[in-house]
Short mmCIF file of all heavy atoms in Angstrom, two decimals:
data_model
loop_
_atom_site.label_atom_id
_atom_site.label_comp_id
_atom_site.label_asym_id
_atom_site.label_seq_id
_atom_site.Cartn_x
_atom_site.Cartn_y
_atom_site.Cartn_z
N MET A 246 -12.30 17.84 3.05
CA MET A 246 -12.66 16.89 2.02
C MET A 246 -11.52 16.73 1.02
O MET A 246 -11.30 15.64 0.53
CB MET A 246 -13.95 17.37 1.35
CG MET A 246 -14.52 16.35 0.43
SD MET A 246 -14.96 14.87 1.33
CE MET A 246 -16.29 14.31 0.41
N VAL A 247 -10.84 17.83 0.73
CA VAL A 247 -9.73 17.76 -0.23
C VAL A 247 -8.62 16.85 0.31
O VAL A 247 -8.04 16.06 -0.45
CB VAL A 247 -9.19 19.18 -0.54
CG1 VAL A 247 -7.94 19.12 -1.36
CG2 VAL A 247 -10.24 20.01 -1.23
N SER A 248 -8.37 16.94 1.61
CA SER A 248 -7.34 16.09 2.21
C SER A 248 -7.70 14.61 2.08
O SER A 248 -6.84 13.78 1.82
CB SER A 248 -7.16 16.46 3.68
OG SER A 248 -6.18 15.64 4.27
N ARG A 249 -8.95 14.27 2.26
CA ARG A 249 -9.39 12.88 2.11
C ARG A 249 -9.24 12.41 0.66
O ARG A 249 -8.85 11.28 0.41
CB ARG A 249 -10.83 12.71 2.56
CG ARG A 249 -10.99 12.76 4.06
CD ARG A 249 -12.46 12.55 4.40
NE ARG A 249 -12.71 12.80 5.79
CZ ARG A 249 -12.94 11.84 6.69
NH1 ARG A 249 -12.95 10.59 6.31
NH2 ARG A 249 -13.17 12.14 7.94
N ILE A 250 -9.57 13.28 -0.28
CA ILE A 250 -9.45 12.91 -1.69
C ILE A 250 -7.98 12.67 -2.05
O ILE A 250 -7.65 11.69 -2.72
CB ILE A 250 -10.10 13.98 -2.59
CG1 ILE A 250 -11.61 13.99 -2.37
CG2 ILE A 250 -9.76 13.75 -4.05
CD1 ILE A 250 -12.33 15.15 -3.01
N VAL A 251 -7.11 13.55 -1.58
CA VAL A 251 -5.67 13.38 -1.84
C VAL A 251 -5.17 12.10 -1.16
O VAL A 251 -4.39 11.35 -1.75
CB VAL A 251 -4.89 14.62 -1.36
CG1 VAL A 251 -3.39 14.37 -1.38
CG2 VAL A 251 -5.24 15.82 -2.20
N ALA A 252 -5.64 11.85 0.06
CA ALA A 252 -5.24 10.62 0.76
C ALA A 252 -5.74 9.39 0.02
O ALA A 252 -5.02 8.39 -0.08
CB ALA A 252 -5.78 10.64 2.19
N ALA A 253 -6.96 9.45 -0.49
CA ALA A 253 -7.52 8.30 -1.20
C ALA A 253 -6.75 8.02 -2.49
O ALA A 253 -6.39 6.87 -2.77
CB ALA A 253 -8.99 8.52 -1.49
N ILE A 254 -6.48 9.07 -3.24
CA ILE A 254 -5.82 8.87 -4.53
C ILE A 254 -4.32 8.61 -4.34
O ILE A 254 -3.81 7.58 -4.77
CB ILE A 254 -6.05 10.08 -5.46
CG1 ILE A 254 -7.53 10.19 -5.82
CG2 ILE A 254 -5.21 9.97 -6.72
CD1 ILE A 254 -7.91 11.45 -6.55
N GLY A 255 -3.64 9.54 -3.70
CA GLY A 255 -2.18 9.43 -3.55
C GLY A 255 -1.77 8.37 -2.53
O GLY A 255 -0.90 7.55 -2.81
N GLY A 256 -2.39 8.41 -1.36
CA GLY A 256 -2.04 7.43 -0.33
C GLY A 256 -2.44 6.02 -0.71
O GLY A 256 -1.70 5.06 -0.45
N GLY A 257 -3.60 5.89 -1.33
CA GLY A 257 -4.03 4.56 -1.79
C GLY A 257 -3.10 4.00 -2.85
O GLY A 257 -2.77 2.81 -2.84
N TYR A 258 -2.68 4.87 -3.76
CA TYR A 258 -1.75 4.43 -4.80
C TYR A 258 -0.41 4.01 -4.19
O TYR A 258 0.15 2.97 -4.56
CB TYR A 258 -1.53 5.55 -5.82
CG TYR A 258 -0.54 5.17 -6.90
CD1 TYR A 258 -0.95 4.39 -7.98
CD2 TYR A 258 0.79 5.55 -6.82
CE1 TYR A 258 -0.04 4.02 -8.96
CE2 TYR A 258 1.70 5.19 -7.80
CZ TYR A 258 1.28 4.42 -8.87
OH TYR A 258 2.18 4.06 -9.82
N ALA A 259 0.09 4.81 -3.27
CA ALA A 259 1.36 4.49 -2.63
C ALA A 259 1.27 3.17 -1.85
O ALA A 259 2.19 2.34 -1.91
CB ALA A 259 1.79 5.61 -1.70
N LEU A 260 0.17 2.97 -1.16
CA LEU A 260 -0.02 1.73 -0.41
C LEU A 260 -0.12 0.53 -1.36
O LEU A 260 0.46 -0.52 -1.09
CB LEU A 260 -1.28 1.85 0.44
CG LEU A 260 -1.29 1.15 1.77
CD1 LEU A 260 -0.15 1.61 2.65
CD2 LEU A 260 -2.61 1.37 2.47
N GLY A 261 -0.82 0.70 -2.46
CA GLY A 261 -0.92 -0.38 -3.45
C GLY A 261 0.43 -0.70 -4.08
O GLY A 261 0.76 -1.87 -4.29
N ALA A 262 1.21 0.33 -4.37
CA ALA A 262 2.54 0.11 -4.94
C ALA A 262 3.45 -0.60 -3.95
O ALA A 262 4.21 -1.50 -4.33
CB ALA A 262 3.15 1.44 -5.37
N LEU A 263 3.39 -0.20 -2.69
CA LEU A 263 4.20 -0.87 -1.67
C LEU A 263 3.80 -2.33 -1.52
O LEU A 263 4.65 -3.21 -1.37
CB LEU A 263 4.07 -0.14 -0.32
CG LEU A 263 4.82 1.16 -0.17
CD1 LEU A 263 4.46 1.83 1.14
CD2 LEU A 263 6.32 0.93 -0.25
N ALA A 264 2.50 -2.60 -1.55
CA ALA A 264 2.02 -3.98 -1.44
C ALA A 264 2.49 -4.81 -2.64
O ALA A 264 2.84 -5.99 -2.50
CB ALA A 264 0.51 -4.01 -1.34
N SER A 265 2.51 -4.19 -3.80
CA SER A 265 2.95 -4.89 -5.00
C SER A 265 4.43 -5.28 -4.90
O SER A 265 4.81 -6.40 -5.25
CB SER A 265 2.71 -4.01 -6.22
OG SER A 265 3.10 -4.66 -7.40
N VAL A 266 5.25 -4.37 -4.42
CA VAL A 266 6.68 -4.66 -4.29
C VAL A 266 6.93 -5.62 -3.13
O VAL A 266 7.76 -6.52 -3.22
CB VAL A 266 7.48 -3.35 -4.10
CG1 VAL A 266 8.93 -3.65 -3.79
CG2 VAL A 266 7.37 -2.49 -5.34
N ALA A 267 6.18 -5.46 -2.04
CA ALA A 267 6.36 -6.32 -0.87
C ALA A 267 6.03 -7.78 -1.18
O ALA A 267 6.55 -8.69 -0.54
CB ALA A 267 5.50 -5.83 0.29
N ALA A 268 5.18 -8.01 -2.18
CA ALA A 268 4.84 -9.38 -2.55
C ALA A 268 6.06 -10.14 -3.07
O ALA A 268 6.09 -11.38 -3.03
CB ALA A 268 3.74 -9.38 -3.60
N LEU A 269 7.08 -9.44 -3.52
CA LEU A 269 8.29 -10.09 -3.99
C LEU A 269 9.06 -10.76 -2.85
O LEU A 269 9.93 -11.59 -3.09
CB LEU A 269 9.19 -9.10 -4.72
CG LEU A 269 8.61 -8.55 -6.03
CD1 LEU A 269 9.51 -7.44 -6.56
CD2 LEU A 269 8.44 -9.64 -7.04
N ALA A 270 8.75 -10.39 -1.61
CA ALA A 270 9.41 -10.99 -0.45
C ALA A 270 8.79 -12.35 -0.10
O ALA A 270 9.33 -13.06 0.74
CB ALA A 270 9.35 -10.06 0.75
N LEU A 271 7.67 -12.68 -0.72
CA LEU A 271 7.01 -13.96 -0.42
C LEU A 271 7.81 -15.12 -1.00
O LEU A 271 8.50 -14.97 -2.02
CB LEU A 271 5.59 -13.96 -1.01
CG LEU A 271 4.62 -12.96 -0.41
CD1 LEU A 271 3.32 -12.96 -1.20
CD2 LEU A 271 4.35 -13.29 1.04
N PRO A 272 7.72 -16.29 -0.36
CA PRO A 272 8.45 -17.46 -0.87
C PRO A 272 7.74 -18.07 -2.08
O PRO A 272 7.07 -19.11 -1.98
CB PRO A 272 8.48 -18.40 0.32
CG PRO A 272 7.25 -18.07 1.09
CD PRO A 272 7.05 -16.59 0.90
N ALA A 273 7.85 -17.42 -3.19
CA ALA A 273 7.26 -17.90 -4.44
C ALA A 273 8.21 -17.55 -5.57
O ALA A 273 9.13 -16.75 -5.39
CB ALA A 273 5.89 -17.25 -4.67
N SER A 274 7.98 -18.14 -6.72
CA SER A 274 8.82 -17.79 -7.86
C SER A 274 8.57 -16.34 -8.23
O SER A 274 7.52 -15.76 -7.92
CB SER A 274 8.51 -18.70 -9.05
OG SER A 274 7.20 -18.47 -9.53
N ARG A 275 9.54 -15.73 -8.86
CA ARG A 275 9.45 -14.30 -9.18
C ARG A 275 8.22 -13.98 -10.03
O ARG A 275 7.50 -13.04 -9.72
CB ARG A 275 10.75 -13.86 -9.87
CG ARG A 275 10.76 -12.45 -10.36
CD ARG A 275 11.20 -11.40 -9.46
NE ARG A 275 12.53 -11.48 -8.91
CZ ARG A 275 12.90 -10.68 -7.92
NH1 ARG A 275 12.06 -9.80 -7.46
NH2 ARG A 275 14.09 -10.75 -7.42
N PRO A 276 7.92 -14.73 -11.10
CA PRO A 276 6.72 -14.40 -11.89
C PRO A 276 5.42 -14.52 -11.09
O PRO A 276 4.52 -13.68 -11.22
CB PRO A 276 6.73 -15.42 -13.03
CG PRO A 276 8.15 -15.84 -13.14
CD PRO A 276 8.71 -15.77 -11.77
N GLN A 277 5.32 -15.54 -10.24
CA GLN A 277 4.12 -15.67 -9.41
C GLN A 277 4.00 -14.52 -8.42
O GLN A 277 2.91 -14.02 -8.17
CB GLN A 277 4.14 -16.99 -8.65
CG GLN A 277 3.68 -18.18 -9.45
CD GLN A 277 3.61 -19.42 -8.58
OE1 GLN A 277 4.47 -19.65 -7.75
NE2 GLN A 277 2.57 -20.21 -8.79
N ALA A 278 5.11 -14.10 -7.84
CA ALA A 278 5.09 -12.99 -6.89
C ALA A 278 4.70 -11.69 -7.57
O ALA A 278 3.96 -10.88 -7.00
CB ALA A 278 6.46 -12.85 -6.22
N VAL A 279 5.17 -11.47 -8.78
CA VAL A 279 4.82 -10.24 -9.51
C VAL A 279 3.33 -10.22 -9.83
O VAL A 279 2.65 -9.21 -9.60
CB VAL A 279 5.66 -10.12 -10.81
CG1 VAL A 279 5.12 -9.02 -11.71
CG2 VAL A 279 7.12 -9.86 -10.47
N ILE A 280 2.80 -11.31 -10.33
CA ILE A 280 1.37 -11.36 -10.66
C ILE A 280 0.53 -11.26 -9.40
O ILE A 280 -0.47 -10.54 -9.35
CB ILE A 280 1.04 -12.63 -11.47
CG1 ILE A 280 1.68 -12.53 -12.85
CG2 ILE A 280 -0.46 -12.83 -11.59
CD1 ILE A 280 1.60 -13.78 -13.68
N GLY A 281 0.93 -11.98 -8.35
CA GLY A 281 0.21 -11.90 -7.09
C GLY A 281 0.25 -10.51 -6.49
O GLY A 281 -0.75 -10.01 -5.95
N GLY A 282 1.39 -9.84 -6.60
CA GLY A 282 1.51 -8.48 -6.12
C GLY A 282 0.63 -7.51 -6.89
O GLY A 282 0.01 -6.62 -6.31
N MET A 283 0.57 -7.69 -8.21
CA MET A 283 -0.28 -6.82 -9.02
C MET A 283 -1.74 -7.02 -8.67
O MET A 283 -2.48 -6.04 -8.50
CB MET A 283 -0.07 -7.09 -10.51
CG MET A 283 1.18 -6.47 -11.05
SD MET A 283 1.38 -6.55 -12.86
CE MET A 283 0.29 -7.78 -13.41
N LEU A 284 -2.16 -8.26 -8.54
CA LEU A 284 -3.56 -8.53 -8.21
C LEU A 284 -3.89 -8.03 -6.81
O LEU A 284 -4.96 -7.46 -6.58
CB LEU A 284 -3.85 -10.02 -8.33
CG LEU A 284 -3.84 -10.59 -9.74
CD1 LEU A 284 -3.97 -12.11 -9.71
CD2 LEU A 284 -4.97 -10.00 -10.55
N GLY A 285 -2.99 -8.26 -5.87
CA GLY A 285 -3.23 -7.81 -4.50
C GLY A 285 -3.24 -6.30 -4.36
O GLY A 285 -3.94 -5.77 -3.50
N SER A 286 -2.49 -5.61 -5.21
CA SER A 286 -2.43 -4.15 -5.10
C SER A 286 -3.79 -3.52 -5.39
O SER A 286 -4.11 -2.47 -4.83
CB SER A 286 -1.37 -3.59 -6.03
OG SER A 286 -1.76 -3.70 -7.38
N PHE A 287 -4.60 -4.13 -6.25
CA PHE A 287 -5.93 -3.59 -6.52
C PHE A 287 -6.80 -3.67 -5.27
O PHE A 287 -7.55 -2.74 -4.97
CB PHE A 287 -6.59 -4.33 -7.68
CG PHE A 287 -5.93 -4.07 -9.00
CD1 PHE A 287 -5.23 -5.06 -9.65
CD2 PHE A 287 -6.00 -2.82 -9.59
CE1 PHE A 287 -4.62 -4.83 -10.86
CE2 PHE A 287 -5.40 -2.57 -10.80
CZ PHE A 287 -4.70 -3.57 -11.44
N ALA A 288 -6.72 -4.78 -4.55
CA ALA A 288 -7.50 -4.93 -3.32
C ALA A 288 -7.00 -3.96 -2.25
O ALA A 288 -7.81 -3.36 -1.52
CB ALA A 288 -7.41 -6.37 -2.82
N VAL A 289 -5.70 -3.78 -2.15
CA VAL A 289 -5.14 -2.86 -1.16
C VAL A 289 -5.56 -1.44 -1.48
O VAL A 289 -5.93 -0.67 -0.59
CB VAL A 289 -3.60 -3.00 -1.11
CG1 VAL A 289 -2.97 -1.89 -0.29
CG2 VAL A 289 -3.21 -4.36 -0.56
N TYR A 290 -5.51 -1.06 -2.75
CA TYR A 290 -5.92 0.29 -3.14
C TYR A 290 -7.40 0.53 -2.81
O TYR A 290 -7.75 1.57 -2.26
CB TYR A 290 -5.67 0.49 -4.64
CG TYR A 290 -6.00 1.88 -5.12
CD1 TYR A 290 -5.11 2.92 -4.93
CD2 TYR A 290 -7.20 2.15 -5.76
CE1 TYR A 290 -5.41 4.21 -5.37
CE2 TYR A 290 -7.50 3.44 -6.20
CZ TYR A 290 -6.59 4.45 -6.00
OH TYR A 290 -6.89 5.71 -6.42
N ALA A 291 -8.25 -0.44 -3.14
CA ALA A 291 -9.68 -0.29 -2.86
C ALA A 291 -9.93 -0.19 -1.36
O ALA A 291 -10.73 0.63 -0.90
CB ALA A 291 -10.46 -1.46 -3.45
N ALA A 292 -9.23 -1.01 -0.58
CA ALA A 292 -9.39 -0.97 0.88
C ALA A 292 -8.91 0.37 1.44
O ALA A 292 -9.53 0.91 2.37
CB ALA A 292 -8.64 -2.13 1.52
N ALA A 293 -7.85 0.91 0.89
CA ALA A 293 -7.34 2.19 1.36
C ALA A 293 -8.33 3.32 1.06
O ALA A 293 -8.57 4.18 1.92
CB ALA A 293 -5.99 2.50 0.70
N VAL A 294 -8.94 3.30 -0.10
CA VAL A 294 -9.92 4.32 -0.45
C VAL A 294 -11.13 4.22 0.48
O VAL A 294 -11.62 5.23 1.00
CB VAL A 294 -10.35 4.20 -1.93
CG1 VAL A 294 -11.55 5.08 -2.24
CG2 VAL A 294 -9.19 4.55 -2.84
N ILE A 295 -11.59 3.01 0.74
CA ILE A 295 -12.72 2.82 1.65
C ILE A 295 -12.35 3.30 3.05
O ILE A 295 -13.13 3.98 3.71
CB ILE A 295 -13.16 1.35 1.65
CG1 ILE A 295 -13.80 1.00 0.31
CG2 ILE A 295 -14.13 1.07 2.80
CD1 ILE A 295 -14.03 -0.48 0.10
N TRP A 296 -11.14 2.96 3.51
CA TRP A 296 -10.70 3.38 4.83
C TRP A 296 -10.67 4.90 4.95
O TRP A 296 -11.10 5.46 5.95
CB TRP A 296 -9.34 2.79 5.16
CG TRP A 296 -8.66 3.53 6.28
CD1 TRP A 296 -7.59 4.37 6.18
CD2 TRP A 296 -9.05 3.55 7.65
NE1 TRP A 296 -7.28 4.89 7.41
CE2 TRP A 296 -8.16 4.41 8.32
CE3 TRP A 296 -10.06 2.93 8.38
CZ2 TRP A 296 -8.25 4.66 9.68
CZ3 TRP A 296 -10.14 3.19 9.73
CH2 TRP A 296 -9.25 4.04 10.37
N VAL A 297 -10.14 5.57 3.94
CA VAL A 297 -10.00 7.03 4.00
C VAL A 297 -11.36 7.70 4.20
O VAL A 297 -11.48 8.63 4.99
CB VAL A 297 -9.29 7.55 2.73
CG1 VAL A 297 -9.46 9.05 2.59
CG2 VAL A 297 -7.82 7.18 2.77
N PHE A 298 -12.36 7.23 3.51
CA PHE A 298 -13.67 7.88 3.62
C PHE A 298 -14.49 7.34 4.79
O PHE A 298 -15.50 7.94 5.16
CB PHE A 298 -14.43 7.77 2.30
CG PHE A 298 -13.85 8.65 1.24
CD1 PHE A 298 -13.09 8.11 0.21
CD2 PHE A 298 -14.01 10.02 1.29
CE1 PHE A 298 -12.53 8.93 -0.75
CE2 PHE A 298 -13.46 10.85 0.33
CZ PHE A 298 -12.72 10.30 -0.70
N ALA A 299 -14.08 6.23 5.39
CA ALA A 299 -14.79 5.68 6.55
C ALA A 299 -14.22 6.21 7.86
O ALA A 299 -14.88 6.14 8.89
CB ALA A 299 -14.73 4.16 6.54
N ALA A 300 -13.01 6.74 7.83
CA ALA A 300 -12.38 7.23 9.06
C ALA A 300 -13.12 8.45 9.58
O ALA A 300 -13.74 9.20 8.82
CB ALA A 300 -10.92 7.58 8.77
N ARG A 301 -13.03 8.67 10.90
CA ARG A 301 -13.75 9.79 11.52
C ARG A 301 -13.22 11.15 11.08
O ARG A 301 -13.97 12.11 11.00
CB ARG A 301 -13.63 9.70 13.03
CG ARG A 301 -14.45 8.60 13.62
CD ARG A 301 -14.39 8.68 15.11
NE ARG A 301 -15.11 7.55 15.68
CZ ARG A 301 -15.48 7.50 16.92
NH1 ARG A 301 -15.19 8.49 17.74
NH2 ARG A 301 -16.13 6.46 17.36
N SER A 302 -11.93 11.24 10.84
CA SER A 302 -11.34 12.52 10.44
C SER A 302 -10.25 12.27 9.40
O SER A 302 -9.79 11.14 9.23
CB SER A 302 -10.75 13.24 11.66
OG SER A 302 -9.64 12.53 12.14
N ALA A 303 -9.86 13.34 8.75
CA ALA A 303 -8.78 13.22 7.76
C ALA A 303 -7.46 12.86 8.42
O ALA A 303 -6.65 12.13 7.85
CB ALA A 303 -8.65 14.53 6.98
N THR A 304 -7.27 13.33 9.65
CA THR A 304 -6.05 13.00 10.38
C THR A 304 -5.97 11.51 10.66
O THR A 304 -4.91 10.89 10.48
CB THR A 304 -6.00 13.78 11.72
OG1 THR A 304 -6.14 15.16 11.44
CG2 THR A 304 -4.71 13.53 12.45
N ARG A 305 -7.09 10.92 11.06
CA ARG A 305 -7.11 9.47 11.29
C ARG A 305 -6.91 8.70 9.98
O ARG A 305 -6.31 7.64 9.97
CB ARG A 305 -8.43 9.04 11.92
CG ARG A 305 -8.51 9.33 13.37
CD ARG A 305 -9.76 8.72 13.95
NE ARG A 305 -9.88 9.09 15.34
CZ ARG A 305 -10.38 8.29 16.25
NH1 ARG A 305 -10.83 7.11 15.92
NH2 ARG A 305 -10.46 8.69 17.50
N ALA A 306 -7.44 9.24 8.90
CA ALA A 306 -7.26 8.58 7.60
C ALA A 306 -5.78 8.54 7.22
O ALA A 306 -5.26 7.50 6.82
CB ALA A 306 -8.08 9.31 6.53
N TRP A 307 -5.10 9.70 7.36
CA TRP A 307 -3.67 9.74 7.05
C TRP A 307 -2.88 8.86 8.00
O TRP A 307 -1.94 8.17 7.57
CB TRP A 307 -3.17 11.18 7.11
CG TRP A 307 -3.49 11.98 5.89
CD1 TRP A 307 -4.43 12.95 5.79
CD2 TRP A 307 -2.89 11.88 4.60
NE1 TRP A 307 -4.45 13.47 4.52
CE2 TRP A 307 -3.50 12.83 3.76
CE3 TRP A 307 -1.89 11.07 4.07
CZ2 TRP A 307 -3.15 12.99 2.44
CZ3 TRP A 307 -1.54 11.23 2.74
CH2 TRP A 307 -2.16 12.18 1.93
N ALA A 308 -3.24 8.86 9.28
CA ALA A 308 -2.53 8.03 10.25
C ALA A 308 -2.72 6.54 9.94
O ALA A 308 -1.78 5.75 10.06
CB ALA A 308 -3.02 8.34 11.66
N GLY A 309 -3.92 6.17 9.54
CA GLY A 309 -4.17 4.77 9.17
C GLY A 309 -3.37 4.34 7.96
O GLY A 309 -2.84 3.23 7.91
N LEU A 310 -3.25 5.22 6.98
CA LEU A 310 -2.45 4.91 5.80
C LEU A 310 -0.97 4.76 6.17
O LEU A 310 -0.29 3.84 5.70
CB LEU A 310 -2.62 5.99 4.73
CG LEU A 310 -3.97 6.05 4.03
CD1 LEU A 310 -4.01 7.24 3.08
CD2 LEU A 310 -4.28 4.77 3.30
N ALA A 311 -0.50 5.66 7.02
CA ALA A 311 0.91 5.58 7.45
C ALA A 311 1.17 4.33 8.26
O ALA A 311 2.21 3.67 8.08
CB ALA A 311 1.27 6.83 8.26
N LEU A 312 0.24 3.97 9.11
CA LEU A 312 0.40 2.76 9.93
C LEU A 312 0.39 1.50 9.06
O LEU A 312 1.15 0.57 9.31
CB LEU A 312 -0.72 2.69 10.97
CG LEU A 312 -0.59 1.63 12.04
CD1 LEU A 312 0.64 1.91 12.90
CD2 LEU A 312 -1.84 1.60 12.90
N ALA A 313 -0.44 1.48 8.04
CA ALA A 313 -0.48 0.34 7.13
C ALA A 313 0.76 0.27 6.25
O ALA A 313 1.17 -0.80 5.81
CB ALA A 313 -1.73 0.41 6.25
N ALA A 314 1.39 1.41 6.01
CA ALA A 314 2.57 1.45 5.14
C ALA A 314 3.83 0.94 5.85
O ALA A 314 4.76 0.47 5.18
CB ALA A 314 2.81 2.86 4.64
N LEU A 315 3.88 1.03 7.18
CA LEU A 315 5.10 0.64 7.90
C LEU A 315 5.53 -0.81 7.65
O LEU A 315 6.68 -1.05 7.28
CB LEU A 315 4.93 0.91 9.39
CG LEU A 315 4.99 2.38 9.80
CD1 LEU A 315 4.72 2.53 11.28
CD2 LEU A 315 6.30 3.00 9.42
N PRO A 316 4.67 -1.80 7.85
CA PRO A 316 5.12 -3.18 7.59
C PRO A 316 5.44 -3.42 6.11
O PRO A 316 6.34 -4.21 5.78
CB PRO A 316 3.97 -4.06 8.05
CG PRO A 316 2.83 -3.17 8.30
CD PRO A 316 3.32 -1.78 8.40
N LEU A 317 4.72 -2.73 5.24
CA LEU A 317 5.00 -2.88 3.81
C LEU A 317 6.37 -2.28 3.47
O LEU A 317 7.10 -2.84 2.64
CB LEU A 317 3.91 -2.22 2.98
CG LEU A 317 2.52 -2.87 3.07
CD1 LEU A 317 1.49 -2.05 2.33
CD2 LEU A 317 2.56 -4.29 2.54
N LEU A 318 6.71 -1.17 4.10
CA LEU A 318 8.03 -0.57 3.88
C LEU A 318 9.14 -1.51 4.36
O LEU A 318 10.19 -1.63 3.71
CB LEU A 318 8.14 0.77 4.58
CG LEU A 318 7.55 1.96 3.85
CD1 LEU A 318 7.53 3.18 4.75
CD2 LEU A 318 8.33 2.24 2.59
N LEU A 319 8.92 -2.16 5.48
CA LEU A 319 9.92 -3.11 5.98
C LEU A 319 10.09 -4.29 5.03
O LEU A 319 11.21 -4.73 4.78
CB LEU A 319 9.54 -3.60 7.38
CG LEU A 319 9.59 -2.56 8.48
CD1 LEU A 319 9.07 -3.13 9.78
CD2 LEU A 319 10.99 -2.02 8.65
N ALA A 320 8.98 -4.80 4.49
CA ALA A 320 9.07 -5.88 3.52
C ALA A 320 9.75 -5.43 2.24
O ALA A 320 10.56 -6.15 1.66
CB ALA A 320 7.68 -6.43 3.23
N CYS A 321 9.46 -4.20 1.82
CA CYS A 321 10.09 -3.67 0.62
C CYS A 321 11.59 -3.47 0.84
O CYS A 321 12.39 -3.65 -0.09
CB CYS A 321 9.45 -2.34 0.21
SG CYS A 321 7.80 -2.52 -0.47
N ALA A 322 11.97 -3.09 2.05
CA ALA A 322 13.39 -2.91 2.34
C ALA A 322 14.15 -4.22 2.20
O ALA A 322 15.28 -4.23 1.71
CB ALA A 322 13.57 -2.35 3.75
N THR A 323 13.53 -5.33 2.57
CA THR A 323 14.21 -6.62 2.39
C THR A 323 14.33 -6.97 0.92
O THR A 323 15.33 -7.52 0.50
CB THR A 323 13.47 -7.75 3.14
OG1 THR A 323 12.16 -7.88 2.60
CG2 THR A 323 13.40 -7.47 4.62
N VAL A 324 13.30 -6.61 0.14
CA VAL A 324 13.36 -6.89 -1.30
C VAL A 324 14.42 -6.02 -1.96
O VAL A 324 15.22 -6.50 -2.77
CB VAL A 324 11.97 -6.64 -1.95
CG1 VAL A 324 12.06 -6.67 -3.46
CG2 VAL A 324 10.96 -7.66 -1.45
N TRP A 325 14.44 -4.72 -1.62
CA TRP A 325 15.42 -3.82 -2.23
C TRP A 325 16.84 -4.15 -1.78
O TRP A 325 17.77 -4.04 -2.55
CB TRP A 325 15.09 -2.37 -1.88
CG TRP A 325 13.83 -1.89 -2.52
CD1 TRP A 325 13.37 -2.22 -3.77
CD2 TRP A 325 12.86 -1.01 -1.98
NE1 TRP A 325 12.17 -1.60 -4.01
CE2 TRP A 325 11.83 -0.85 -2.94
CE3 TRP A 325 12.74 -0.35 -0.77
CZ2 TRP A 325 10.73 -0.04 -2.73
CZ3 TRP A 325 11.64 0.46 -0.56
CH2 TRP A 325 10.64 0.60 -1.53
N GLY A 326 16.99 -4.58 -0.53
CA GLY A 326 18.30 -4.97 -0.04
C GLY A 326 18.81 -6.22 -0.73
O GLY A 326 19.99 -6.33 -1.04
N ALA A 327 17.92 -7.16 -0.97
CA ALA A 327 18.31 -8.39 -1.66
C ALA A 327 18.64 -8.11 -3.13
O ALA A 327 19.50 -8.74 -3.72
CB ALA A 327 17.19 -9.43 -1.56
N GLY A 328 17.94 -7.15 -3.72
CA GLY A 328 18.19 -6.80 -5.12
C GLY A 328 19.54 -6.13 -5.30
O GLY A 328 20.20 -6.31 -6.31
N ALA A 329 19.97 -5.37 -4.31
CA ALA A 329 21.25 -4.68 -4.39
C ALA A 329 22.42 -5.66 -4.23
O ALA A 329 23.49 -5.47 -4.78
CB ALA A 329 21.34 -3.59 -3.32
N ALA A 330 22.18 -6.73 -3.46
CA ALA A 330 23.24 -7.69 -3.20
C ALA A 330 23.48 -8.61 -4.39
O ALA A 330 24.57 -9.12 -4.59
CB ALA A 330 22.89 -8.53 -1.96
N SER A 331 22.46 -8.83 -5.20
CA SER A 331 22.64 -9.77 -6.31
C SER A 331 23.02 -9.12 -7.60
O SER A 331 23.32 -8.04 -7.78
CB SER A 331 21.35 -10.57 -6.54
OG SER A 331 20.25 -9.73 -6.70
#
């Protein structure tokens, strides 16, 4: 149970933060992307918490969070790469 709680709090937060930064890769103006990312991060965090407690095991919960983080990490890498170039 402790592992699920840590996954829900820490993993959900990390997933929400990644979603917030990944929104900057969308074709929108920077202020719109920031606000959209902030709003979307709340939904991503809530979905991650629900997923963690709905999964059959804590291992599946962690694996699901990691699997969801991969595309977000790739999107964040494009944002961070573009930020370093400018």
Side-chain angles (χ1 to χ4, degrees):
M246 189 62 149
V247 172
S248 179
R249 286 181 190 254
I250 293 170
V251 170
I254 295 171
Y258 178 81
L260 214 57
L263 285 173
S265 181
V266 173
L269 294 172
L271 295 173
S274 66
R275 175 89 58 191
Q277 278 185 319
V279 168
I280 291 173
M283 282 189 342
L284 291 173
S286 70
F287 292 111
V289 169
Y290 183 80
V294 170
I295 291 169
W296 161 252
V297 165
F298 289 105
R301 287 186 184 196
S302 67
T304 305
R305 282 187 184 215
W307 281 106
L310 290 175
L312 189 64
L315 287 176
L317 294 174
L318 278 171
L319 293 175
C321 288
T323 62
V324 170
W325 292 324
S331 53

